[in-house]
């Protein structure tokens, strides 16, 4: 009983936490030379548009993490052949696709206002595009196989192969175009925003709080989805027996 | 594989798989005719589309690899799909180890794509007089490594889609994300070669291609058992 | 000396159990009969024995002279079934030689010719398989399964598509196999294999 | 009105984002409740006792 109450409390905390992050991320003022806590730096060339970092970057990170998690459960499925691992694998892939689409859409709307066009084939846009293609292919493959064990095995194999090939883009993309993206190593305006420089302490605190909020939401959503899929599959199995 | 006798039997078996596919191909000409016709029609369409224009070397390099990619997509799945459609996969499973099947079919696809790519390049040089190959060594190496890479990724994907219901349409969908790093690299190296760059300038690209081939072949070798046996 | 040991074998299909917890141990010069109604999983079971299907859980262990064989198990097994297809575009003899070369064994065309004579296909050895009738294909499958002299012979529905003469030949082949190694027969027709040492009954299992 | 909206654009965005966020949160919270109910139902179905 106490576990249930704790669980509910945890979700309420997550709700309040995220609300606070949204209010701070969008509400705090931006000034040219932030001197005390609660003032965000005004990055020339980005201005108010810099606020997207609190939402866009965590979704992009999560779409990669979700892909890796899905691949991890795929490997576990191949080793142990437990149907539950496949449910987890497909759930994480589905949420990954959702976050990947969110990151693409938010990024490209932002790009329209900042760079003047929705799509520029900047290296990061190319990599999110590739990630979208991989997710798309993964689900296309799943929908084309009827037998559940075969579907689980083959989609796990595909995601592992994709996971092995994806790192190649890291070596290739810098040769395609110079980066426009804030945060590219060669960005003349702001330099690498997340890894160094660009953010001050307040911004960093909000940014990582936002990442935590997104991860919390992600865990909650995947948990709901896994439980729902289990129920659906149990129901199907029951109806097939009769 | 440490055992030399096992290694020898693996090689003999792989060669047998390759020869079986090759002789079957010579009798039915199924994949080869599809590939050759694909290359011919695509090049004809592109010639008409460009009209009298002479596009830049970079565009031509891209177009050449687009032709090669899609012709590969029309023929490279054949070797696995044919086994599945005719119901002979079970027979092949009874006769040979998964590893020999994988590498035999990989060898077959490499030979097939090299033949088709040579043809595509010859036709390309014939129809597009503006397409220059200034550094032949760089170009030939790119073509060879590109073909092997294309075959290595398509072979494992073909093995996967052979087990699915909608075989044909799924092949390019699954292959494109995996082949993109290869295509980007070979297009880069091809435009280098038409600019007349030194061989050493292509070394970075070749390193990427070789490690790509190694990674794809390695992961196929590890995972093929799961794909091949239900 | 060859041993075939099956322990706690289970297979699920679409998360539905076809059979579970099947154990049997067969030794040289013994026979195993697999029975069960349609859909009970006879073919699935013999495919797992033939190493072309992986079980969901459980093990199939084959040992030769007391040593457990780990790899190249397919070379110890001959398999005949109605759903197995031979290569249509190759001749009967080429199909047999293909079997030897894929197994990395010495390609012996006299042995192939003898075996084809044995299943009364001697006159058609250089014809492509696509010209064969279903009965001839079934007889060719016996030659195909025996060309590498396997110690374990697995027959799924052994008499399907065969005429009286063919049935006689197959009975002879089954008898020889019983002396030489292990014979596994999956069938619903109890006259196919009247005397057997072990039986697996798949009907009525969950 | 127009001036107010342009001057306080950021707060308008904040308001819209908060409304969307509350929507998502309530949806998930309700879903959690429904799912728990269904899980208990299927657990009861599971044991015949």
């Amino acid at each position: 009983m106490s576990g249930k109450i704790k669980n509910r409390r945890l979700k309420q905390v997550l709700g309040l936490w995220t609300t606070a992050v949204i209010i701070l991320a969008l509400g705090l003022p931006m000034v040219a030379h932030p001197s005390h806590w609660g003032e965000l730096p005004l990055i020339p060339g980005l201005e108010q548009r810099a606020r997207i970092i609190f939402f866009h970057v965590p979704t992009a990170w999560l779409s990669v993490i979700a892909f890796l998690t899905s691949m991890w459960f795929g490997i576990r499925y191949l080793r142990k052949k437990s149907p539950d691992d496949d449910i987890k694998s497909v759930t994480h892939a589905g949420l990954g696709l959702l976050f990947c689409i969110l990151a693409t859409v938010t990024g490209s709307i932002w790009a329209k206002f900042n760079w003047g066009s929705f799509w520029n084939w900047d290296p990061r846009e190319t990599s999110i595009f590739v990630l979208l293609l991989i997710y798309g292919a993964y689900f296309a493959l799943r929908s084309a196989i009827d037998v559940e064990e075969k579907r689980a095995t083959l989609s796990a194999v595909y995601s592992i192969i994709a996971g092995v090939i994806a790192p190649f883009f890291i070596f290739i993309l810098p040769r395609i175009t110079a980066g426009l993206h804030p945060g590219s190593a060669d960005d003349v305006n702001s330099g690498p925003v997340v890894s160094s420089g660009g953010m001050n302490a307040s911004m960093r605190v909000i940014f990582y709080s936002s990442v935590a909020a997104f991860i919390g939401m992600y865990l909650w959503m995947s948990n709901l989805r896994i439980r729902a899929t289990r129920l659906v599959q149990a129901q199907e199995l029951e109806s097939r027996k009769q | 594989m440490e055992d030399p006798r096992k290694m020898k039997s693996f090689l003999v078996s792989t060669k047998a798989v390759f020869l079986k596919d090759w002789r079957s191909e010579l009798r039915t000409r199924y994949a080869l005719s599809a590939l050759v016709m694909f290359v011919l029609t695509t090049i004809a369409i592109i010639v008409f589309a460009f009209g009298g224009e002479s596009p830049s070397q970079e565009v031509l390099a891209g177009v050449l690899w687009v032709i090669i990619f899609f012709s590969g997509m029309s023929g490279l799945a054949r070797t696995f799909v044919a086994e599945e459609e005719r119901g002979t996969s079970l027979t092949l499973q009874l006769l040979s180890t998964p590893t020999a099947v994988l590498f035999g079919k990989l060898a077959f696809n490499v030979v097939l794509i090299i033949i088709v790519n040579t043809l595509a390049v010859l036709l390309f040089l014939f129809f597009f007089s503006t397409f220059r190959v200034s550094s032949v060594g760089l170009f030939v190496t790119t073509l060879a490594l590109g073909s092997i890479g294309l075959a290595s990724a398509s072979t494992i994907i073909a093995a996967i889609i052979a087990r699915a219901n909608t075989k044909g349409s799924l092949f390019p969908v699954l292959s494109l994300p995996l082949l993109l790093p290869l295509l980007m690299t070979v297009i880069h190296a091809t435009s280098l070669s038409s600019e007349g760059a030194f061989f050493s300038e292509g070394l970075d690209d070749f390193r990427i291609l070789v490690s790509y081939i190694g990674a794809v072949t390695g992961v196929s070798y590890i995972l093929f058992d799961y794909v091949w046996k239900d | 000396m060859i041993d075939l040991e099956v322990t706690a074998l289970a297979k699920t299909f679409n998360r539905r159990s076809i059979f579970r917890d099947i154990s049997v141990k067969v030794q040289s010069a013994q026979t195993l009969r697999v029975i069960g109604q349609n859909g009970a999983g006879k073919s699935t079971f013999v495919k797992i024995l033939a190493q072309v299907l992986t079980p969901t859980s459980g093990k199939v262990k084959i040992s030769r002279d007391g040593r457990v064989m780990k790899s190249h198990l397919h070379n110890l097994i001959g398999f005949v079934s109605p759903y197995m297809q031979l290569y249509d575009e190759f001749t009967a003899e080429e199909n047999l030689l293909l079997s030897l070369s894929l197994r990395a064994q010495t390609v012996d065309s006299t042995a192939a010719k003898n075996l084809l004579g044995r299943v009364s296909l001697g006159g058609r050895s250089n014809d492509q398989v696509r010209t064969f009738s279903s009965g001839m294909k079934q007889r060719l499958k016996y030659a195909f399964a025996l060309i590498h002299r396997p110690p374990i012979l697995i027959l799924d529905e052994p008499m399907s598509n065969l005429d009286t003469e063919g049935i006689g030949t197959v009975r002879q082949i089954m008898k020889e196999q019983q002396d030489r190694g292990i014979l596994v027969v999956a069938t619903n027709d109890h006259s196919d294999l009247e005397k057997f040492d072990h039986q697996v009954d798949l009907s009525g299992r969950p | 009105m127009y001036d107010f909206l342009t001057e306080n654009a950021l707060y308008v965005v904040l308001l819209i984002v908060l409304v969307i966020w509350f929507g998502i949160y309530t949806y998930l919270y309700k879903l959690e409740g429904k799912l728990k109910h269904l899980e208990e139902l299927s657990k009861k179905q599971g044991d015949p006792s």
Side-chain angles (χ1 to χ4, degrees), chain A residues 137 144 146 158 168-169 172 175, chain B residues 165-166 174 181 204-205 212 230:
Chain A
D146 295 329
Y158 184 76
F168 277 90
F169 287 99
I172 291 155
R175 349 183 88 223
Chain B
N165 305 341
T166 47
L174 294 197
D204 275 350
D205 286 333
Y212 176 90
D230 283 330

Side-chain angles (χ1 to χ4, degrees), chain A residues 65-86:
Chain A
I65 293 170
F67 177 71
L68 293 176
T69 319
S70 164
M71 187 173 120
W72 161 250
F73 282 112
I75 295 172
R76 255 197 28 178
Y77 177 83
L78 290 183
R79 295 172 67 108
K80 298 194 180 137
K81 304 271 172 196
S82 145
D84 212 47
D85 284 333
D86 184 53

Side-chain angles (χ1 to χ4, degrees), chain B residues 166-189:
Chain B
T166 47
K167 303 179 195 333
S169 55
L170 211 52
F171 192 42
V173 173
L174 294 197
S175 303
L176 182 64
L178 305 188
L179 284 173
L180 261 181
L182 177 93
L183 290 173
M184 287 171 165
T185 315
V186 288
I187 290 170
H188 184 256

